Amino acid sequence: MTRTPNFYPQGDTIAAIATPPGDGGVAIIRISGPAALEIGSALFSGPVASYKSHTAHYGQILDGAGQVIDTGLLLTLYEGRSYTGEATVEIHGHGGAYVSRKVLEAALLAGARAALPGEFTYRAFMNGRLDLAQAEAVQALIGAKSDRALEAAREQLEGRLSARVSHFQKELIQLAAILEAWVDFPEEGLEFTSPEEMERQLKGVLTQIEELLATWREGRMVREGISLCLLGVPNVGKSSLMNALLQRERAIVTDIPGTTRDLLEEEIRLGGLTFRLIDTAGLRETYAPVEQEGIRRSRSAAKEADLILLVLDAGRPLQGDEERLIAEAPPHKTVVV
């Protein structure tokens, strides 16, 4: 029997810089695990072991030789009352990249292990502080690019998605228990509910699950942004439209057909939503290998996009390539410009 590899060692104390890399006003070094308070005591000038949970204290931050690295705050969070569910110490010092690295090195020398990516949230999950849906919501909250994305991530972190899934689970378990009772004790004549009522309940649960699944695409667009593909024949104005929407010269614009050979992507905020603009190579019949590859990528981008802006030149009749584009474009996600 094969075992799933354990990428996160258990039982030790981990440490990491919890603030973004680079220079800033404040840097936070987080230490979590059974030896967190002991390591905090080795790094701080005050009596850490006597501090109450959820209190902040000002003092000197020390290295292993007792030399002062920085001054700042130390916060203690006792087991069961922290993000990870473990004893946790946070050291808040000045936000220089070098000084915060020195504090982290002191924590590692005092007995901590460098935390692996996502390990604090993993421990929160393993200790019952978060379920899987909430753990996913942490990353969504951090990466939110709009008010709607932030609200959706916050609701998931609060457990609304988990509550719906739990509701489905409870109903299905109850129905399964009734079926098992009928199968195991047919001679008892048990009458919990009728087969017709069970079928009605199962269909109701299935409908609710399908309704939840139907929101996935909208949720992904809110979270990751709406992919907006500019499509058209060469020299029709796709790159000019992209530059106008971005209000800067991002794409090269010339009178020579086929200037854009590869995909160009940029993000833009419109009406509170985040869009990923994708400028594509002009679609036409060609024998040039490089342009053919660009056209292949353009068609692939259009297929995967959430929305297509099909750009036409209103100053002339439709060309044959444009008529084919209009016929091929999926109507449910295409806007003609």
Side-chain angles (χ1 to χ4, degrees):
M1 182 180 68
T2 59
R3 296 181 61 187
T4 303
N6 186 358
F7 296 107
Y8 295 110
Q10 301 297 299
D12 53 0
T13 299
I14 57 175
I17 300 173
T19 40
D23 296 333
V26 177
I28 300 174
I29 290 80
R30 179 180 292 164
I31 307 167
S32 178
L37 293 176
E38 179 183 342
I39 293 171
S41 297
L43 301 182
F44 200 66
S45 59
V48 175
S50 66
Y51 295 159
K52 295 181 179 179
S53 183
H54 291 72
T55 58
H57 304 267
Y58 177 78
Q60 294 177 327
I61 304 167
L62 312 173
D63 63 13
Q67 298 297 313
V68 177
I69 303 174
D70 196 5
T71 57
L73 299 177
L74 182 138
L75 280 70
T76 52
L77 305 162
Y78 284 1
E79 183 178 352
R81 302 183 62 190
S82 69
Y83 175 72
T84 62
E86 303 173 323
T88 300
V89 166
E90 288 190 355
I91 298 174
H92 295 212
H94 294 94
Y98 181 75
V99 68
S100 57
R101 173 60 59 180
K102 292 290 290 183
V103 177
L104 176 60
E105 289 174 359
L108 300 181
L109 288 172
R113 170 178 62 79
L116 297 171
E119 191 166 4
F120 288 103
T121 298
Y122 172 79
R123 291 195 173 193
F125 166 70
M126 293 300 295
N127 292 324
R129 304 292 288 180
L130 301 171
D131 60 28
L132 278 177
Q134 291 172 310
E136 289 181 346
V138 172
Q139 182 60 42
L141 191 70
I142 294 170
K145 299 176 181 177
S146 66
D147 290 341
R148 290 182 64 186
L150 181 63
E151 181 181 358
R154 179 181 52 77
E155 289 180 354
Q156 186 172 335
L157 186 59
E158 290 174 352
R160 297 195 185 185
L161 175 60
S162 303
R164 293 195 65 181
V165 173
S166 178
H167 170 71
F168 301 150
Q169 184 183 32
K170 288 178 180 177
E171 287 203 40
L172 292 173
I173 288 175
Q174 183 177 5
L175 292 171
I178 294 173
L179 284 173
E180 288 180 11
W182 279 345
V183 171
D184 292 341
F185 307 104
E187 70 282 354
E188 298 294 336
L190 300 174
E191 287 294 337
F192 297 104
T193 185
S194 66
E196 292 77 18
E197 176 61 20
M198 287 194 67
E199 181 181 6
R200 186 192 67 78
Q201 288 179 302
L202 281 170
K203 287 182 176 179
V205 173
L206 179 61
T207 298
Q208 293 178 63
I209 293 174
E210 289 174 341
E211 288 174 352
L212 181 60
L213 287 172
T215 66
W216 175 84
R217 184 169 178 271
E218 180 182 353
R220 181 186 60 79
M221 288 191 291
V222 168
R223 184 175 64 255
E224 300 176 5
I226 301 169
S227 56
L228 180 59
C229 183
L230 307 180
L231 206 64
V233 299
N235 256 32
V236 78
K238 301 184 299 299
S239 297
S240 297
L241 176 58
M242 183 174 192
N243 289 341
L245 289 170
L246 295 173
Q247 297 184 353
R248 63 186 177 90
E249 297 297 315
R250 172 65 176 88
I252 297 174
V253 177
T254 72
D255 294 332
I256 304 171
T259 301
T260 303
R261 296 293 184 91
D262 207 347
L263 303 180
L264 294 178
E265 292 193 27
E266 287 287 341
E267 284 193 357
I268 186 174
R269 290 284 304 280
L270 295 172
L273 294 174
T274 300
F275 290 85
R276 291 189 295 113
L277 288 181
I278 307 171
D279 188 19
T280 63
L283 301 184
R284 63 175 176 176
E285 294 294 329
T286 180
Y287 297 101
V290 176
E291 191 173 359
Q292 284 180 339
E293 176 60 20
I295 290 172
R296 185 195 67 78
R297 295 185 183 190
S298 298
R299 292 189 181 278
S300 177
K303 183 179 179 180
E304 296 175 2
D306 299 312
L307 185 64
I308 296 172
L309 291 187
L310 182 55
V311 184
L312 304 176
D313 185 350
R316 58 169 170 73
L318 289 176
Q319 300 178 356
D321 288 331
E322 290 176 319
E323 291 177 348
R324 284 191 290 274
L325 275 179
I326 293 172
E328 295 171 0
H332 68 281
K333 67 174 187 179
T334 302
V335 178
V336 176
V337 181

